[in-house]
Amino acid sequence: MQLTRIEQENAEFFMHLCPEDLLSDDKYLKLGVIDDNDEPASVCVTGVNENMGSIQWLFTDPDKREQG
């Protein structure tokens, strides 16, 4: 598994795992996990509001859960 930052250049790769409006919003930190077969496995979208961190979206492809 590999953790990567989701940016404009690679957002489409993760689009089926997360709503497009979150992936295109620059105010969030977006992280993606790529599995050992170079396929997208998971997405986490986080933000900071009033000095408090929050998770806006957290999703793992059901076929890729519990694999380490």
Side-chain angles (χ1 to χ4, degrees):
M1 300 278 183
Q2 177 185 353
L3 182 66
T4 187
R5 186 170 182 165
I6 300 173
E7 299 180 296
Q8 219 172 22
E9 297 81 27
N10 65 351
E12 188 174 328
F13 184 66
F14 294 94
M15 200 71 68
H16 69 284
L17 298 176
C18 184
E20 183 177 353
D21 60 320
L22 288 176
L23 287 181
S24 63
D25 196 328
D26 290 337
K27 71 181 176 187
Y28 297 121
L29 170 64
K30 300 156 290 225
L31 301 173
V33 175
I34 301 170
D35 70 11
D36 294 335
N37 296 319
D38 294 327
E39 296 178 9
S42 188
V43 170
C44 180
V45 179
T46 63
V48 176
N49 188 4
E50 299 177 16
N51 298 321
M52 181 78 101
S54 62
I55 295 175
Q56 301 298 312
W57 184 265
L58 179 60
F59 181 78
T60 300
D61 184 323
D63 294 334
K64 301 179 189 293
R65 293 178 184 166
E66 299 183 26
Q67 295 184 23

